[in-house]
Amino acid sequence: MADLTLNTLSRFYEQLWRIRLLEGHVQRLAAAGEVPGFPHLSTGQEAVAVGVCANLSAGDYLFSGHRAHGHVIAKGSDPYAVFAEIIGRDDGVCRGRGGSMHLVDASNGVLGATGVVAGNLSLAAGAAWAAQVRGDGRIAVVFFGDGATGAGVFHETLNMASLWNLPLLFVCENNGYAEFTSREEHSKVGKVSTFAAPYGISALTLDGNDVLTVHDAARKAIGHIRENGGPWLLECMTFRMAGHYVGDAQRYRSKEEMAAMKEKDPIDRLRRHLVSKGAPEGELDGIAARVKEEMAAAVDRARKAARPDPATVMDYVYSATLPSPEQA
Ligand SMILES: Cc1ncc(C[n+]2csc(CCOP(=O)(O)OP(=O)(O)O)c2C)c(N)n1
Ligand SMILES: [Mg+2]
């Protein structure tokens, strides 16, 4: 495993808190009816986003699904603009037109989240293909859940990505559930990573609640992809500590199961590691307190921000500029 500096580990700690706290505000405001639609939180799964995205640059492409907040923040998008988008404000990354499930921030390589389960996979293959054709050294990363692996497009995309040697990293967040159905009930295939071998794709199943393990696996996989093309698949075993969406009463899980998940909280785990490496507890508390203030300020500002003007509803539907004949 790479020997990461305390500084780098502290940045991971900060990012984990940023996602956790931002989503805490989403939960609170959703319960108060201030968030349009059904937000899906990644509470407990943040280490996957942070560990993978720490290996990406702004130019790399990212695709996500309905549980996207953490991925977009970890990729480096402005948390204020992400939060403003989630509550439908004009300052949002999509000028308030997308909301929680449709976050796009092209300036940061975030080509999109989607509520269509598995719909992001083939789009990510398209972006990876574009990068390959252009030879610009970019890669594409797609985050999806274990439930998405039951969709045909998952297998079609594995096949095409392998055939065309696309620079594409598949990141499965296996949280053991598709909505309210456990993995045992929706698939007889134990490990998602076993789907990769028949297509000739290298894959690894790993502890997705340990940000260091995720970071290391992603570093190696992305290193292979950048060197040889691709693709690679990482199956990150994790836990959804929140409901499927805000408001899910979670009657399908026992109290014992929920308590066991809390034991594996990725933030506590990284904190224990940092302390064992000599990080002062006071400094770690300071990081969390600073991010808490930062998020509270972002939320206050976003709540006061304007909603998009209804008269502009047709703006951004079509590209304002047509490509020149040479580009077309
Ligand atoms: C094409 C499609 N089918 C069904 C749904 C309804 N749906 C929303 S989330 C979900 C489960 C997804 O499970 P998984 O991929 O494991 O992601 P997780 O919610 O666990 O992060 C389903 C079936 C949908 N949004 N899109
Ligand atoms: Mg799942």
Side-chain angles (χ1 to χ4, degrees):
M1 200 173 277
D3 205 7
L4 300 171
T5 62
L6 268 187
N7 208 10
T8 302
L9 294 173
S10 301
R11 268 198 291 113
F12 291 176
Y13 189 67
E14 179 178 329
Q15 281 290 54
L16 292 173
W17 268 118
R18 192 165 278 122
I19 298 167
R20 178 72 55 93
L21 291 169
L22 180 132
E23 292 202 312
H25 286 291
V26 175
Q27 179 163 30
R28 188 172 55 81
L29 293 190
E34 285 191 40
V35 183
F38 292 96
H40 301 76
L41 308 181
S42 67
T43 315
Q45 305 186 184
E46 300 94 338
V48 182
V50 172
V52 170
C53 291
N55 293 285
L56 301 176
S57 62
D60 291 320
Y61 300 121
L62 183 144
F63 291 80
S64 180
H66 53 287
R67 210 175 293 290
H69 310 150
H71 305 140
V72 181
I73 301 286
K75 183 75 164 46
S77 290
D78 176 8
Y80 166 69
V82 172
F83 194 83
E85 185 59 43
I86 293 169
I87 60 168
R89 297 305 203 268
D90 200 36
D91 280 355
V93 284
C94 308
R95 308 285 308 260
R97 285 145 165 89
S100 165
M101 276 193 271
H102 308 104
L103 300 171
V104 178
D105 181 7
S107 64
N108 184 38
V110 177
L111 294 195
T114 173
V116 181
V117 169
N120 51 6
L121 289 148
S122 51
L123 300 180
W129 190 34
Q132 186 189 62
V133 169
R134 292 190 184 118
D136 57 16
R138 295 173 194 223
I139 69 160
V141 176
V142 58
F143 291 93
F144 56 98
D146 48 305
T149 65
V153 66
F154 170 63
H155 297 271
E156 294 166 56
T157 307
L158 286 178
N159 188 46
M160 295 312 294
S162 173
L163 270 176
W164 293 354
N165 209 39
L166 297 180
L168 175 55
L169 178 64
F170 294 88
V171 182
C172 179
E173 293 178 316
N174 186 347
N175 59 14
Y177 284 93
E179 290 186 324
F180 325 113
T181 309
S182 70
R183 177 137 180 86
E184 293 69 41
E185 286 173 280
H186 76 74
S187 177
K188 283 208 172 188
V189 178
K191 285 184 176 178
V192 165
S193 59
T194 56
F195 286 126
Y199 295 103
I201 295 176
S202 303
L204 198 64
T205 297
L206 56 115
D207 182 348
N209 273 32
D210 179 14
V211 69
L212 302 181
T213 303
V214 177
H215 177 266
D216 202 53
R219 186 178 60 83
K220 288 182 188 143
I222 289 171
H224 282 290
I225 294 172
R226 291 205 199 277
E227 221 164 281
N228 315 309
W232 254 77
L233 185 148
L234 298 177
E235 177 187 18
C236 302
M237 304 306 295
T238 185
F239 301 97
R240 159 164 70 65
M241 282 163 54
H244 171 62
Y245 58 84
V246 178
D248 171 9
Q250 302 191 71
R251 293 209 181 83
Y252 50 92
R253 324 211 253 197
S254 67
K255 285 206 171 73
E256 292 72 33
E257 186 181 330
M258 311 268 268
M261 281 182 204
K262 264 192 109 43
E263 291 283 299
K264 297 188 174 152
D265 186 323
I267 298 186
D268 296 344
R269 280 178 74 178
L270 179 59
R271 186 180 174 106
R272 284 197 293 274
H273 179 78
L274 272 158
V275 170
S276 78
K277 291 278 173 194
E281 300 248 18
E283 254 178 46
L284 299 176
D285 292 339
I287 290 174
R290 184 164 49 73
V291 177
K292 194 172 176 185
E293 267 182 39
E294 181 200 310
M295 287 301 111
V299 169
D300 277 354
R301 190 177 148 211
R303 288 178 79 203
K304 289 181 194 133
R307 293 176 195 278
D309 178 355
T312 66
V313 70
M314 291 306 287
D315 290 1
Y316 318 117
V317 175
Y318 297 104
S319 170
T321 49
L322 289 172
S324 66
E326 305 84 66
Q327 289 170 315

